[in-house]
Amino acid sequence: GQQVMQIPQYQHVQEGEDFTTYCNSSTTLSNIQWYKQRPGGHPVFLIQLVKSGEVKKQKRLTFQFGEAKKNSSLHITATQTTDVGTYFCAGPSSGGSNYKLTFGKGTLLTVNP
Amino acid sequence: NAGVTQTPKFQVLKTGQSMTLQCAQDMNHEYMSWYRQDPGMGLRLIHYSVGAGITDQGEVPNGYNVSRSTTEDFPLRLLSAAPSQTSVYFCASSVRGSEQFFGPGTRLTVL
């Protein structure tokens, strides 16, 4: 079946440093979604990427979708303590309808103030 | 809108007991899903539904049942709880092609 792999599993940074997490799918994706989960909380949607090579920015966060639509990355510039949490990527398991998602195992980001 | 609600927030069961985790959404979303989250394992799909009366299995369905009699509700039943079912359970809903909205979760411990 489809697999979605994320690296690294953990990342600890000093406040102000940059952070990147990478996501790789075993199959071509129609789209990819990113979620953030704060400690003790629930996953919250960040963004969806659809087009090959797409780049989207949300303030200090930059999301990329690979040309082959099998990989993606999330880059945070100048991390803040509010960025702490686990970042998940997710791809549709069938048909691109997004009702059946396969999630990566996530990257836990901790930030030292 | 309350969004996606889940009850209870916490539950402790003994091995062999049964229970139902409740999930409701007030956004008129077609799609609803149940996930379990274990340390280092990410979110794994248990069961999902694409509309009232229609359910299907996800990645880890064994030991769980679901039904969807209304658009709003999607309960998850544990038939005979086992320690391996100790986890955090999330319910989510969405419309076609869009993001999933997650509930606050139920933290279940099976002794």
Side-chain angles (χ1 to χ4, degrees):
Chain A
Q2 180 192 50
Q3 291 185 341
V4 176
M5 292 147 287
Q6 249 183 288
I7 56 169
Q9 192 173 359
Y10 307 98
Q11 185 78 57
H12 178 75
V13 300
Q14 291 291 125
E15 191 171 22
E17 292 182 338
D18 291 358
F19 159 77
T20 305
T21 174
Y22 300 91
C23 181
N24 288 286
S25 170
S26 59
T27 60
T28 300
L29 300 171
S30 58
N31 65 83
I32 193 161
Q33 297 183 350
W34 285 90
Y35 291 79
K36 177 183 178 181
Q37 183 178 25
R38 288 200 160 95
H42 60 277
V44 175
F45 174 81
L46 292 176
I47 207 161
Q48 178 171 287
L49 304 173
V50 178
K51 297 177 184 176
S52 169
E54 189 169 15
V55 178
K56 284 190 177 180
K57 292 190 176 185
Q58 290 179 349
K59 297 183 180 177
R60 295 176 294 104
L61 277 61
T62 301
F63 303 84
Q64 291 190 321
F65 200 10
E67 294 290 340
K69 301 184 78 173
K70 293 183 72 173
N71 59 73
S72 181
S73 65
L74 159 59
H75 179 82
I76 302 179
T77 303
T79 54
Q80 300 176 358
T81 54
T82 53
D83 295 324
V84 164
T86 301
Y87 293 84
F88 294 98
C89 61
S93 301
S94 64
S97 298
N98 287 359
Y99 59 82
K100 192 177 174 187
L101 292 177
T102 299
F103 280 80
K105 293 185 179 180
T107 297
L108 172 61
L109 172 65
T110 55
V111 179
N112 198 30
Chain B
N1 281 356
V4 180
T5 57
Q6 290 184 240
T7 56
K9 284 189 168 56
F10 301 93
Q11 183 71 48
V12 179
L13 292 178
K14 294 181 180 178
T15 296
Q17 287 185 316
S18 62
M19 80 159 294
T20 299
L21 306 186
Q22 301 291 345
C23 174
Q25 53 93 7
D26 62 359
M27 297 174 283
N28 201 32
H29 286 172
E30 306 163 87
Y31 305 130
M32 297 187 75
S33 304
W34 276 103
Y35 296 88
R36 60 177 289 172
Q37 185 174 36
D38 304 293
M41 295 297 293
L43 292 149
R44 292 183 292 169
L45 183 65
I46 305 172
H47 286 285
Y48 64 98
S49 169
V50 299
I54 307 169
T55 64
D56 205 347
Q57 296 181 351
E59 180 187 354
V60 288
N62 291 343
Y64 307 95
N65 271 359
V66 292
S67 60
R68 183 110 179 260
S69 55
T70 67
T71 300
E72 293 78 20
D73 300 298
F74 192 41
L76 178 72
R77 296 182 188 85
L78 279 69
L79 308 171
S80 177
S84 61
Q85 293 178 304
T86 293
S87 189
V88 181
Y89 291 86
F90 288 103
C91 178
S93 73
S94 65
V95 294
R96 185 181 180 89
S98 190
E99 70 206 78
Q100 295 204 355
F101 291 83
F102 285 81
T106 294
R107 282 148 182 81
L108 176 68
T109 301
V110 183
L111 302 174

